[in-house]
Amino acid sequence: MKRLNLSGYGGRGVAVLAAATLIGGLAGGCGPAKPTSADSKELTYWSMWKQGEDQQKVLQAAIDGFEKSSGVKVKVQWSGRDVLKQVAARLNAGDVPDLTDQDGAAIAGNLGAVDGVRGLADVYATTIPGESKKISDVIAPGLVASYKTKAGEPFVVPYEVFGSTMWYDAAKHPELAANPPRTWAEFITVLDAMKAKGRTPLALDGDVKSYDAYWTTWSIIRHGGPGLLAKAATDKSGDTFDNPAFLAAAKDMEQLIKGGYLAKDFNGTKWPTQQNAWAAGKSPTDFLLMGTWAPSETGPQAAPGFTYRSMPFPTVDGGKGNSAAEGGVIGFAVPAKAKHSDAAKKFIAYFMNGERLGKISSDAQNLTPRADVKAPATLADYAKELGNAGADVYLPSDNAPAVAPQWVSNVWEPANADFFNGKLDAAGFVKRLKDESVKLGKQG
Amino acid sequence: MSQVGTVPREVPRAARPRTRGQARPRSRGQSPVARARRRMYWPFITPALVVYVAFFIGPALASVWISLHRWRGAGDDMTFTGLDNYRRLLDDDAFVAAFANSLKILVICGVGIFALAFALTIVLRELRWRRALRSLLFFPYIVSPIAIGVALGLLLEPDGLANSALRLVGLGGLAEPWLAPDRLFATILVGIVWVTTGFYVILLMTGQERIPAYYYEAAELAGATPIQQFRHVTLPMSWDVVSVAAVLWVINSLKIFEFVYAFVGTGDSPPVQARTIPIYQFIMTTGGRSPAYELGYGCAMGVVMVVLVSVLVVLLRRVMRRDAIQF
């Protein structure tokens, strides 16, 4: 099965940006490379996918077609998720690939932060081969708004979109499919009804602290709106935590933690035990708050007839982020020192053709950034959720790992773990976040 | 040489022939072989020296230099920050916790491993199938720590084999969520002891097997129990091996990384309660879910670790210094 599988990496890339920001001021030394020859006959592509993954197959098929139609030879290396570390290591030497791809935040953190990528405004202005539209016509600018060079050009061309949402099995719960709970109060009512039937409705692999934090982040977003968490993460005074949204969110979470809704032993098992048990129907759980890779990741374990549907995280009274959806991208980038950037850009444009990009949806079962490409059935709900959010899209983890990785590793995730393990109450959780953020801030 | 039938005692230090400080013999008086050997000294030593300097001394010195900077390592310039990174280490609760964990592994697992290894050495000496048993004990050490970590993780799940077995034999009350955050580190300590003991048993047994059997025969004739035999024959006569094993443990224990990582899970970086110095170093540089790309800070941790290992090894060598017994 295809795995978008950002579960282990989603935050990683994002994370990088922060470190970058810390030294951002001195990043200017590494300017763009010289213009390349107008007509390269080869290009080197290092990809985040591994041989045999569905995305790899889709890309390989496109590469084969591109080689035939353009006469450009593509030297591809399927490097896996750490590809950008390899690219970054080559930045000093100058011997970089001409094309690479990863999570947008990872590209920003690894390459963007040190001016290691080219602006791709010209690619966005290109007419897609075989179509009449330009790339800028089919990609919503909001998706790449955070990924811009100093000159203001976008440096990522996305070919996949992902985000977290609330999953359930529509075969088992037709009532949810017909009438999903929309507000927090409705959600709790549904949970209570499930609990009354002896269920622990919320599946959670609590050993992955960022999965605990999915819940908290979503709740903070709903109460306080996108960007609040990232702001708090970088606020050395800690004052941002006095925003009532934090306590309100923490109280909602406390209701879940103390209410007996979470799967038994959720923090004593190892990922992916709980999510697999949820899909297989081996635990009395009904909801899984998880990335859009959930269907492909748990699919092989799913009970017969399992029908993946999702609903947005419940809204809250007077919430500033009630219409927000989480959205991150995976896309192409061209390293600044690429020698055959013209060929790389040609390939990007070639791949963005609806038919070829469409295979990311039809074959790899992932959402593409093109609204005119039909979403895979399992992601139709999420595609709608994202579409409804309009410009109110927040980056994975509200971009906190990108702007403050040390805060995420040492303050945010441990506090979430202790909160979900019942060691902190709502007020104690917010206080700890504030105190430790202040302490971390003092370290510089 | 000690006499047969008596337990050997250490050679007094004063009796040891002194070589240090003596004038080096001049080459003129040497045999042709010795002269040839001297001539070949540098040609033979140079390649190794070059490799050692290039891949060990050089990077180590570079680490010290980088530790005085703020640097993310990918095409950016370094900013000199002096000792800031070291000051930051002292203030960083997460680092202090990781440092404490590394020391806990060193001491707690060290005591456990050597106690078990000594006990097994005593028991195994008597057993007929000791070679087979020894191999069996060694087995966990050769399997990838990642595989062991993952397997133990499954074994220790709330409904895993360990708890099921406890419930089966009526000890359900002892069943625990072994991997819960509060218990995780203790479970890891036990896991490390289990995985590592076999290696030290092999080392100690190798030392023991060099001891001529007649010492044991004599000790038995004198009515010594196995423990007394261990104390008066095995330990003093394989002291050099024991001391090497102890030094190895100091070095290996502080480097422990992948075992904890595998144990904690495939999807996430270890919680603060279970991090060791190398794990924290990894998270603060290029690894984990939210790598911080603080290469200067990571190098400062590396320097602290090298200093720590060096101090501990020197201390240990001093404490364990005995003169080798000839036999």
Side-chain angles (χ1 to χ4, degrees):
Chain A
M1 255 329 243
K2 65 291 310 162
R3 287 170 45 134
L4 173 59
N5 191 12
L6 286 151
S7 48
Y9 296 86
R12 164 180 297 191
V14 189
V16 175
L17 191 62
T21 324
L22 290 171
I23 28 172
L26 42 115
C30 175
K34 295 173 200 105
T36 54
S37 65
D39 225 3
S40 302
K41 279 295 160 202
E42 61 166 43
L43 84 100
T44 309
Y45 169 32
W46 290 1
S47 171
M48 68 176 282
W49 305 106
K50 278 174 266 181
Q51 197 84 42
E53 289 185 289
D54 286 344
Q55 284 90 338
Q56 182 266 330
K57 290 179 200 160
V58 171
L59 283 160
Q60 183 65 64
I63 288 168
D64 294 344
F66 178 70
E67 285 187 327
K68 256 185 223 154
S69 69
S70 68
V72 174
K73 169 97 186 95
V74 180
K75 292 193 274 182
V76 60
Q77 183 177 307
W78 304 107
S79 301
R81 304 297 185 269
D82 281 343
V83 61
L84 293 183
K85 283 182 195 160
Q86 300 166 21
V87 177
R90 293 288 193 93
L91 282 181
N92 286 321
D95 186 16
V96 291
D98 304 305
L99 179 66
T100 188
D101 55 6
Q102 239 299 6
D103 178 350
I107 294 170
N110 280 283
L111 309 178
V114 287
D115 279 352
V117 272
R118 285 176 188 249
L120 299 177
D122 51 347
V123 178
Y124 277 90
T126 307
T127 305
I128 301 169
E131 295 183 31
S132 56
K133 287 178 179 167
K134 289 183 199 157
I135 291 180
S136 56
D137 297 332
V138 296
I139 306 272
L143 283 175
V144 290
S146 315
Y147 309 128
K148 289 204 167 148
T149 61
K150 279 186 187 147
E153 288 187 43
F155 57 69
V156 176
V157 178
Y159 59 79
E160 251 184 51
V161 175
F162 64 91
S164 63
T165 186
M166 191 85 79
W167 294 98
Y168 61 89
D169 176 9
K172 200 192 264 176
H173 293 292
E175 80 287 358
L176 289 177
N179 184 24
R182 289 194 168 76
T183 65
W184 187 255
E186 286 172 22
F187 182 57
I188 294 292
T189 308
V190 168
L191 294 184
D192 280 334
M194 289 168 167
K195 204 173 89 174
K197 288 182 197 154
R199 301 187 68 82
T200 48
L202 304 179
L204 172 63
D205 277 292
D207 62 318
V208 181
K209 296 170 293 298
S210 52
Y211 286 177
D212 293 339
Y214 263 158
W215 283 93
T216 328
T217 306
W218 259 111
S219 196
I220 291 168
I221 294 282
R222 284 289 187 248
H223 281 281
L228 181 62
L229 184 64
K231 187 179 166 212
T234 48
D235 177 3
K236 290 183 178 181
S237 73
D239 292 345
T240 310
F241 287 103
D242 295 334
N243 185 319
F246 282 98
L247 189 60
K251 284 197 165 147
D252 284 351
M253 293 303 101
E254 189 177 34
Q255 195 178 1
L256 291 186
I257 297 160
K258 299 205 168 147
Y261 305 114
L262 289 159
K264 186 173 170 276
D265 289 328
F266 72 95
N267 61 8
T269 49
K270 285 178 66 144
W271 175 87
T273 303
Q274 298 291 350
Q275 66 174 35
N276 284 350
W278 164 79
K282 286 183 182 162
S283 66
T285 53
D286 306 282
F287 289 106
L288 177 72
L289 178 59
M290 185 53 57
T292 37
W293 52 84
S296 49
E297 212 169 71
T298 63
Q301 280 75 36
F306 195 102
T307 311
Y308 288 93
R309 290 288 304 267
S310 69
M311 62 178 204
F313 192 90
T315 58
V316 297
D317 282 347
K320 288 185 183 142
N322 276 342
S323 60
E326 187 189 335
V329 296
I330 288 182
F332 295 114
V334 178
K337 291 180 183 170
K339 292 192 181 74
H340 309 292
S341 62
D342 57 326
K345 289 173 178 179
K346 247 191 233 171
F347 176 75
I348 296 175
Y350 178 83
F351 189 68
M352 296 313 284
N353 174 288
E355 217 169 281
R356 291 178 274 272
L357 186 68
K359 294 211 163 52
I360 288 288
S361 171
S362 60
D363 295 11
Q365 300 291 314
N366 273 288
L367 196 65
T368 73
R370 283 185 66 158
D372 55 351
V373 168
K374 193 169 180 287
T378 52
L379 296 178
D381 291 318
Y382 171 73
K384 207 169 135 198
E385 182 183 336
L386 191 68
N388 288 342
D392 212 4
V393 173
Y394 75 92
L395 291 168
S397 305
D398 204 23
N399 217 27
V403 294
Q406 195 177 347
W407 179 83
V408 168
S409 294
N410 294 344
V411 178
W412 173 242
E413 290 189 345
N416 267 283
D418 283 350
F419 188 28
F420 274 74
N421 294 331
K423 282 193 192 165
L424 296 168
D425 61 6
F429 174 64
V430 178
K431 184 175 184 302
R432 172 153 150 196
L433 285 177
K434 179 174 176 170
D435 292 350
E436 295 205 345
S437 301
V438 171
K439 199 167 173 201
L440 186 70
K442 280 188 191 145
Q443 278 177 37
Chain B
M1 271 297 247
S2 305
Q3 279 179 298
V4 177
T6 62
V7 176
R9 293 177 44 183
E10 289 169 20
V11 179
R13 177 160 299 173
R16 198 172 64 162
R18 285 183 72 89
T19 50
R20 218 179 291 170
Q22 285 175 347
R24 263 165 83 187
R26 300 196 178 175
S27 57
R28 208 186 311 168
Q30 282 176 341
S31 70
V33 176
R35 273 204 301 276
R37 202 179 269 170
R38 274 181 65 81
R39 251 202 321 277
M40 292 312 290
Y41 181 80
W42 283 108
F44 269 94
I45 211 84
T46 306
L49 201 65
V50 166
V51 169
Y52 194 70
V53 168
F55 293 103
F56 186 78
I57 305 281
L61 292 176
S63 292
V64 175
W65 177 241
I66 296 169
S67 76
L68 305 176
H69 294 77
R70 185 160 262 206
W71 187 47
R72 51 173 288 122
D76 62 324
D77 297 326
M78 297 196 282
T79 321
F80 187 80
T81 54
L83 293 175
D84 275 5
N85 283 326
Y86 292 93
R87 272 183 222 119
R88 198 172 144 195
L89 282 176
L90 292 175
D91 281 339
D92 185 346
D93 292 343
F95 176 75
V96 173
F99 191 89
N101 279 345
S102 281
L103 288 184
K104 277 183 208 162
I105 290 178
L106 170 73
V107 175
I108 299 174
C109 292
V111 168
I113 287 167
F114 279 87
L116 263 174
F118 284 142
L120 285 165
T121 314
I122 296 171
V123 174
L124 284 177
R125 210 187 72 79
E126 308 272 315
L127 292 182
R128 213 170 138 212
W129 299 103
R130 65 174 183 271
R131 274 170 200 283
L133 281 170
R134 196 171 65 173
S135 308
L136 210 63
L137 280 170
F138 191 60
F139 187 68
Y141 198 78
I142 52 174
V143 177
S144 144
I146 297 282
I148 297 251
V150 172
L152 277 179
L154 295 174
L155 193 74
L156 297 171
E157 287 214 315
D159 292 318
L161 263 178
N163 281 350
S164 305
L166 283 172
R167 290 188 191 111
L168 200 70
V169 296
L171 293 171
L174 295 178
E176 299 273 2
W178 302 105
L179 302 174
D182 287 339
R183 213 174 299 275
L184 186 67
F185 192 64
T187 310
I188 287 173
L189 291 181
V190 176
I192 290 173
V193 172
W194 177 65
V195 167
T196 319
T197 301
F199 175 72
Y200 291 93
V201 170
I202 297 260
L203 276 186
L204 298 184
M205 283 185 73
T206 312
Q208 184 190 51
E209 280 175 3
R210 290 185 322 180
I211 303 169
Y214 48 75
Y215 287 116
Y216 289 101
E217 286 159 15
E220 260 172 55
L221 283 176
T225 63
I227 292 176
Q228 285 169 325
Q229 289 175 31
F230 176 78
R231 202 179 137 205
H232 296 291
V233 181
T234 310
L235 204 52
M237 296 196 74
S238 59
W239 189 253
D240 49 344
V241 177
V242 174
S243 106
V244 167
V247 168
L248 277 180
W249 171 246
V250 169
I251 296 168
N252 288 338
S253 64
L254 294 175
K255 285 198 314 196
I256 283 178
F257 173 83
E258 70 276 33
F259 185 79
V260 178
Y261 230 93
F263 215 97
V264 166
T266 35
D268 212 3
S269 49
V272 176
Q273 298 96 310
R275 288 180 196 162
T276 60
I277 302 175
I279 286 175
Y280 190 53
Q281 193 182 29
F282 183 61
I283 294 171
M284 283 298 107
T285 53
T286 58
R289 186 178 286 275
S290 305
Y293 284 81
E294 300 254 17
L295 268 72
Y297 196 41
C299 282
M301 291 181 214
V303 171
V304 167
M305 234 170 76
V306 170
V307 170
L308 179 67
V309 169
S310 310
V311 167
L312 286 173
V313 167
V314 168
L315 281 178
L316 197 68
R317 296 292 290 178
R318 274 190 165 274
V319 169
M320 297 193 74
R321 189 155 66 197
R322 305 273 191 285
D323 289 304
I325 294 167
Q326 308 287 321
F327 55 86

